[in-house]
Amino acid sequence: MTKLGKVKQTRWKLYLLIAAIACGALVLGPGVLHSAALDKPAPGGELRMSLYADVKTLDPWLSDDTPSDTVRYLTEGVLIRINRRTQQPEAELATSWKVSKDGRKIEFQLRKGVQFPDGSPFAARDVISTFDHLLDPSLHAPVADSFKFDQGVVKVTAQGDYTVTAAFPVPVPGSERLFDLVAVVSAKSSSRPAPGLGAFLIQERKPGTSILLRRNPSYWKHDANGHALPYFDSVRLDIQQNRDLELLKFRRGEVSVIDVLSPDLFERLSKEAPGSVIDSGPTFDSDFMWFNQTAKSPVPANKKEWFRSEVFRRAVSGAINRADIARLVYKGHASPALGPVSPANKLWFNANIKPEVIDTSLTLKQLIQSGFTLQSGSLKDHTGAPVEFSIITNAGNKSRELMATLIQQDLAKLGIKINVVTLDFPSLIERITRSFDYEACLLGFTNVEADPNGVMNIYLSSASNHAWNPGQKAPETPWEHEVDKLMLAQAATPDYHARKKNFDRVQEIIRQQAPIVFLVHPNALSAVAPSLAGVSPSASYPHTFWNAENLFFTKKSGQ
């Protein structure tokens, strides 16, 4: 899924090897691999981190933004967890699983002896209930898109108390990896969020300020010495949009880990305390912008006409200097985007896609041929209206604000005027998901895994995260119809080469049509306090706390 995305192949040994290579190499600062093997765990204490916006929801099934997903990740249990370092599936609430030869069924053996915080035992009925609710069309759960197909939806049935079978209407490559997305909720729960099966429980939420998680006393995991996990008594998530203040708190020891460090702060901290910073290398993530093509949006009709024009979208994409963004915004800790897939994703990246060539004269010629005119340095549409629109992005994110300024400067060369509007995150989410009262948006795309199935909730026209025009009852353009067919086709065969051919074509269409203008793929930049041990940094989200139950403070820290 992605927050939009996650999911990947896994059924062939060679495939797994290639997938692990696709994650990229780690580039670490000296002394930053805080290994639990080197320090004796000191149970207790509080892990402190920051969220850069308030959570959109605490319902684990509706989570599709990074703050909400952070809480979900720390508090909910899943059948299978993808190890963020190896990218391989590992047993969680399922002790084992078996995929049928035709790729249509997967049988799980569930872990016995696991209890929900209220004391009720975890069993097959909880998995069945979870999927019954998750696939309810009225819920509109983003994660459900990965379990829906033209031929139907997954059917989950129980064979006794501790065996569950998921039957797909078509073969689904790497189907077991989809279950990393699904929080298993108690069948007895009548509301959400409910105390879950993760390492921590939600103890207190102060909207706009903080979320306090406490250790789950019913958590089933133990370390090699039989000590109950997690080691921490609590996790405090402070909602802090100001990255400079977060860094100040990190220096003071009031924040123990910064999972996503901005490039300028990374450079600053690397000079002050080089042993605390981590560049985990290229990610599958993207920074991108898109135009609002939603028919019911209050955007003026002439602007909707621009945004629905392939020529206009292509002109904007071709005018943006991505190398400048990588150099100036990310200080070199990013690579220009060639299309929707990061080159770090070696398994699925379409190597035939070439870099954008910035040619202002040619771009202006194409715009003029499609009905625009250039008058006194200002681009006008066929009605004579000046081409001017606003880009919204999240306030407090200096990297994104600088990125918007660079885009503003690049598009001015075409005579296009850009107004940059920064909004607090809840207001931004409200506009792009409910009111649709915006013209263009600049955001980031967190893609945990490599497989195309993980971006179903982005590219299917019916999906709620189909950013530029979500939730279409039927594809509104021929190219979206083609993308739908290709995405469903690649999901319906276990043949890697057939899938790759289909997904290559999807990448070509998205690059050509530019409904999303992909800008750069950032590296994973993080910071970890010297007193924090057990950290195993990853290029995939979460970068530093994916194994939160195994993190601890060293005894010498005095915490």
Side-chain angles (χ1 to χ4, degrees), residues 132 141 150-151 236 356 495:
D132 285 346
D150 271 355
Q151 297 86 347
R236 183 174 297 277
E356 291 274 12
D495 186 302

Side-chain angles (χ1 to χ4, degrees), residues 373-515:
T373 58
L374 187 65
Q375 301 176 21
S376 302
S378 175
L379 192 69
K380 306 289 181 68
D381 67 12
H382 64 88
T383 69
V387 178
E388 176 180 349
F389 62 88
S390 61
I391 297 177
I392 62 172
T393 193
N394 50 314
N397 188 318
K398 292 184 178 179
S399 296
R400 212 156 277 157
E401 290 174 4
L402 176 55
M403 204 178 307
T405 299
L406 293 175
I407 293 171
Q408 188 180 50
Q409 295 170 359
D410 287 338
L411 295 187
K413 298 171 184 176
L414 296 178
I416 298 174
K417 182 179 179 181
I418 301 298
N419 301 306
V420 179
V421 179
T422 59
L423 300 170
D424 63 83
F425 204 68
S427 297
L428 187 146
I429 293 296
E430 168 67 27
R431 294 207 187 192
I432 66 176
T433 64
R434 296 184 181 91
S435 70
F436 303 108
D437 186 12
Y438 73 100
E439 294 175 350
C441 183
L442 173 64
L443 274 183
F445 174 87
T446 301
N447 195 3
V448 174
E449 291 210 41
D451 194 90
N453 285 343
V455 289
M456 285 289 198
N457 62 330
I458 298 293
Y459 293 123
L460 289 182
S461 61
S462 60
S464 57
N465 284 334
H466 192 68
W468 62 93
N469 190 4
Q472 300 173 39
K473 293 182 178 179
E476 294 183 5
T477 62
W479 61 267
E480 285 175 298
H481 176 70
E482 184 179 0
V483 167
D484 282 1
K485 288 181 61 178
L486 291 164
M487 289 300 295
L488 291 170
Q490 67 79 28
T493 175
D495 186 302
Y496 166 72
H497 297 289
R499 297 186 71 207
K500 180 68 162 62
K501 181 179 179 180
N502 286 330
F503 194 53
D504 277 354
R505 177 59 184 150
V506 169
Q507 294 174 62
E508 291 166 0
I509 294 171
I510 298 300
R511 165 64 182 270
Q512 176 61 38
Q513 293 291 335

Side-chain angles (χ1 to χ4, degrees), residues 80-92:
I80 293 174
R81 178 67 78 200
I82 303 302
N83 182 303
R84 294 323 195 240
R85 278 298 296 271
T86 68
Q87 291 297 306
Q88 296 198 30
E90 296 180 345
E92 285 284 308

Side-chain angles (χ1 to χ4, degrees), residues 26-75:
L26 293 176
V27 182
L28 306 178
V32 299
L33 185 57
H34 301 256
S35 172
L38 302 178
D39 297 289
K40 185 177 179 179
E46 181 173 87
L47 179 64
R48 299 169 189 145
M49 303 189 297
S50 297
L51 299 177
Y52 303 127
D54 203 352
V55 295
K56 178 182 173 183
T57 178
L58 290 176
D59 186 334
W61 297 336
L62 297 181
S63 170
D64 65 353
D65 62 291
T66 300
S68 301
D69 206 50
T70 295
V71 176
R72 179 194 66 84
Y73 194 91
L74 292 168
T75 60

Side-chain angles (χ1 to χ4, degrees), residues 7-20 80-82 86-90 97 99 106 172-179 347-348 449-451 453 494 496 499:
V7 188
K8 180 169 143 191
Q9 283 284 23
T10 177
R11 290 175 51 211
W12 305 280
K13 291 182 180 179
L14 177 61
Y15 210 156
L16 281 172
L17 174 62
I18 297 172
I80 293 174
R81 178 67 78 200
I82 303 302
T86 68
Q87 291 297 306
Q88 296 198 30
E90 296 180 345
W97 59 91
V99 180
I106 178 169
V172 178
S175 57
E176 61 268 47
R177 305 180 75 90
L178 292 171
F179 294 87
L347 194 61
W348 296 102
E449 291 210 41
D451 194 90
N453 285 343
Y496 166 72
R499 297 186 71 207

